[in-house]
Amino acid sequence: FAMEGMTTKEIKDNIAGAAYLAGAVRHDLGGKGGAADLMTNIMKMFQIPSSKESAARVADLLTTGVTRANMSLMDLAETIKYAGTTGVNLGSSLEQIIAFSGILGNAGLQGSMAGTAVSNAYRYLVQSIELTSRDGYKALQSIGLGKKDFVDAEGRMVDLGVAMVKVAEATKGMDDTSRMSLLTQIFGVRGERGIVTGK
């Protein structure tokens, strides 16, 4: 915590949450890669203010994610490391990223592989929505979808899970090879792995 630049008060506010997380998932508390380190990194990534309440909430979310899915705390933290900033930039919550990480973890996509899949799915979907010259844009148009289906009235991106449902509904009845080709155009090669696994 001190290496993160926390004040004495902030350390006192955060230590209980970190200790709870470490105990609940049987992970070391201190040191590089310890529960305190991973938790504070994630809080900073999601711009969650340092407080006793925030630390308890994040610790509970991470514990729930790890104990209800086939992944370790290190797996989850690695997934978040790769997917988090893209998700944050598109308005995703920590809860959404953890939930999707759990779905992928249960299918054997864990750590950096899962994080890369989520990040690419987000990134390629944005390009498919915005860039009319991209194959993904044309692929979305071919199934009757466009920007209005993925961006709300306030300009916020819909949750990736919601986007997946819309694409799944629009591709019902397609043969396997055509659907695979279309998903790859929309979400990219690595993103398609996550979308197919997480649907």
Side-chain angles (χ1 to χ4, degrees):
F1 286 144
M3 288 172 66
E4 290 278 351
M6 287 187 180
T7 64
T8 303
K9 181 184 182 307
E10 287 175 324
I11 292 171
K12 287 180 179 177
D13 286 345
N14 284 270
I15 193 64
Y20 166 78
L21 173 61
V25 302
R26 297 182 178 182
H27 192 88
D28 288 341
L29 173 60
K32 186 67 179 164
D37 178 40
L38 299 176
M39 191 176 87
T40 53
N41 290 344
I42 290 166
M43 289 175 71
K44 282 183 182 282
M45 179 179 287
F46 281 84
Q47 300 161 16
I48 298 170
S50 178
S51 70
K52 189 178 293 186
E53 294 74 24
S54 293
R57 174 180 154 261
V58 171
D60 190 52
L61 288 172
L62 295 173
T63 298
T64 300
V66 170
T67 57
R68 294 190 181 177
N70 181 24
M71 59 183 176
S72 67
L73 181 59
M74 286 298 291
D75 290 332
L76 177 56
E78 192 77 357
T79 300
I80 293 171
K81 181 171 79 174
Y82 277 78
T85 52
T86 303
V88 167
N89 288 337
L90 292 173
S92 288
S93 66
L94 178 57
E95 288 87 342
Q96 290 168 335
I97 297 291
I98 290 174
F100 204 59
S101 299
I103 292 169
L104 296 180
N106 286 341
L109 283 177
Q110 299 155 348
S112 60
M113 184 180 286
T116 299
V118 174
S119 181
N120 278 18
Y122 271 125
R123 192 176 298 113
Y124 275 84
L125 179 58
V126 168
Q127 292 176 0
S128 296
I129 292 167
E130 296 289 348
L131 304 179
T132 58
S133 62
R134 295 293 294 254
D135 288 341
Y137 181 88
K138 297 165 189 170
L140 283 176
Q141 294 286 304
S142 75
I143 56 174
L145 297 176
K147 185 171 182 175
K148 68 184 187 316
D149 298 294
F150 301 102
V151 179
D152 67 20
E154 284 74 44
R156 292 188 299 264
M157 183 88 169
V158 300
D159 175 58
L160 189 57
V162 172
M164 287 164 50
V165 169
K166 292 187 178 199
V167 173
E169 288 292 323
T171 56
K172 268 185 181 173
M174 289 180 73
D175 64 76
D176 291 344
T177 56
S178 297
R179 187 170 184 276
M180 172 78 168
S181 175
L182 185 135
L183 291 175
T184 302
Q185 290 174 59
I186 296 170
F187 296 105
V189 174
R190 291 185 178 91
E192 176 270 334
R193 292 177 194 159
I195 293 302
V196 171
T197 303
K199 70 180 175 58

